[in-house]
């Protein structure tokens, strides 16, 4: 029997070192801004003119995802958590607001992450099996996980309808808060969509994380000079 095709595709050194360092510096500078709402602070980017450093990075990473046609844009956010207190259950990404309104289940084409740092544990676990409400963290009833350890500048992507979650500081299924503390595990999450998810604002519309914004382009004066 041929080996199973991997669910998770891993690419190290995804960005030039200078670009990655600049992005990481900007993310660290956010401090605790919206840290408690990090998973609810999402943005839509139509792959047009970037308005912030993250959108510049998304355009740089686009050739690494096998999407050639029918792509409407990217939904992005920051995942920031401590692996001693994992804050997200196993799940499938979806158009969340549409689903909560009783609409159909719509998944992104691909889910991708850019790991910003290394931490104790905190591996990404991906499987074809569905979440199970009877298990801690809704973990699926399977041992067939593909894993990706957090490493700086490591880019990973997988099919958008796959179940995934984050393992704890011991790289085990999270089952409550662990003793002690750990550094924040930080990733940039990017979902690649065929259609814009319901109710997701653009960065310009959101008015948060303003320190990530790019400088406004200089406008020419009547004399032809820029200002």
């Amino acid at each position: 029997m041929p080996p199973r095709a991997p669910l998770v595709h891993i690419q190290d050194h995804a960005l030039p070192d200078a670009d990655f360092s600049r992005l990481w510096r900007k993310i660290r500078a956010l401090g605790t801004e919206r840290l408690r709402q990090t998973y609810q602070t999402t943005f839509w980017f139509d792959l047009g003119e970037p308005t912030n450093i993250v959108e510049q990075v998304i355009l740089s990473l686009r050739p690494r995802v096998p999407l050639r046609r029918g792509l409407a844009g990217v939904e992005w956010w920051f995942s920031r958590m401590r692996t001693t207190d994992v804050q997200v259950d196993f799940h499938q990404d979806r158009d969340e607001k549409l689903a909560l309104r009783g609409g159909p289940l719509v998944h992104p084409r691909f889910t991708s992450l850019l790991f910003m740092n290394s931490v104790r544990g905190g591996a990404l676990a991906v499987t074809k099996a569905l979440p199970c409400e009877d298990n801690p963290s809704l973990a699926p009833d399977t041992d067939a996980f593909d894993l990706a350890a957090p490493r700086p500048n490591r880019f990973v992507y997988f099919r958008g309808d796959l179940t995934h979650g984050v393992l704890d500081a011991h790289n085990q299924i999270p089952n409550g808060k662990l003793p002690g503390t750990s550094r924040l595990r930080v990733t940039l999450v990017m979902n690649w969509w065929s259609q814009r998810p319901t109710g997701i604002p653009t960065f310009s519309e959101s008015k948060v994380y303003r320190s990530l914004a790019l400088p406004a382009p200089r406008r020419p004066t009547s004399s032809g000079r820029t200002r």
Side-chain angles (χ1 to χ4, degrees):
M1 177 179 291
R4 177 178 64 84
L7 301 178
V8 178
H9 302 268
I10 300 176
Q11 304 172 9
D12 288 323
H13 309 292
L15 294 173
D17 290 344
D19 292 348
F20 178 80
S21 296
R22 178 169 170 256
L23 174 65
W24 185 211
R25 187 168 58 250
K26 287 283 191 178
I27 294 175
R28 292 199 308 271
L30 293 175
T32 60
E33 182 182 354
R34 297 193 65 81
L35 182 59
R36 291 174 180 263
Q37 301 85 28
T38 188
Y39 291 103
Q40 291 76 48
T41 309
T42 69
F43 310 91
W44 175 252
F45 176 44
D46 65 3
L47 301 175
E49 190 68 25
T51 62
N52 59 77
I53 186 173
V54 172
E55 292 172 353
Q56 285 184 325
V57 164
I58 290 171
L59 292 177
S60 296
L61 293 173
R62 182 179 181 179
R64 295 183 175 272
V65 180
L67 292 172
R68 297 294 178 264
R69 297 180 181 177
L71 184 64
V74 173
E75 176 192 13
W76 65 269
W77 67 94
F78 298 123
S79 168
R80 296 179 286 172
M81 73 172 81
R82 302 190 189 279
T83 55
T84 50
D85 187 19
V86 174
Q87 296 292 307
V88 61
D89 291 329
F90 279 81
H91 63 283
Q92 296 172 302
D93 287 340
R94 62 182 186 176
D95 186 326
E96 191 69 21
K97 292 181 179 179
L98 179 63
L100 292 176
R101 294 174 185 175
L105 188 62
V106 181
H107 302 291
R109 295 272 299 279
F110 285 92
T111 292
S112 65
L113 298 86
L114 180 68
F115 291 110
M116 303 307 302
N117 61 338
S118 296
V119 294
R120 182 161 54 99
L124 169 73
V126 181
T127 179
K128 292 182 178 180
L130 296 176
C132 179
E133 294 185 358
D134 296 329
N135 294 333
S137 299
L138 306 183
D141 279 326
T142 183
D143 294 325
F145 291 102
D146 278 16
L147 302 179
R151 297 287 184 272
N153 206 9
R154 170 173 281 181
F155 179 72
V156 305
Y157 70 87
F158 51 94
R159 211 176 63 209
D161 61 347
L162 294 177
T163 300
H164 56 284
V166 177
L167 303 185
D168 68 15
H170 303 306
N171 273 336
Q172 300 296 313
I173 300 294
N175 189 15
K177 190 174 181 180
L178 297 176
T181 188
S182 61
R183 65 194 300 196
L184 282 175
R185 173 190 184 273
V186 182
T187 64
L188 167 61
V189 187
M190 296 155 281
N191 279 352
W192 305 75
W193 287 89
S194 297
Q195 61 189 52
R196 183 173 179 172
T198 306
I200 303 299
T202 64
F203 179 78
S204 298
E205 293 166 344
S206 70
K207 308 301 182 184
V208 301
Y209 296 162
R210 301 320 300 168
S211 61
L212 301 177
L214 297 175
R218 301 179 69 183
R219 294 178 299 173
T221 64
S222 56
S223 63
R225 297 178 179 179
T226 58
R227 63 178 181 183

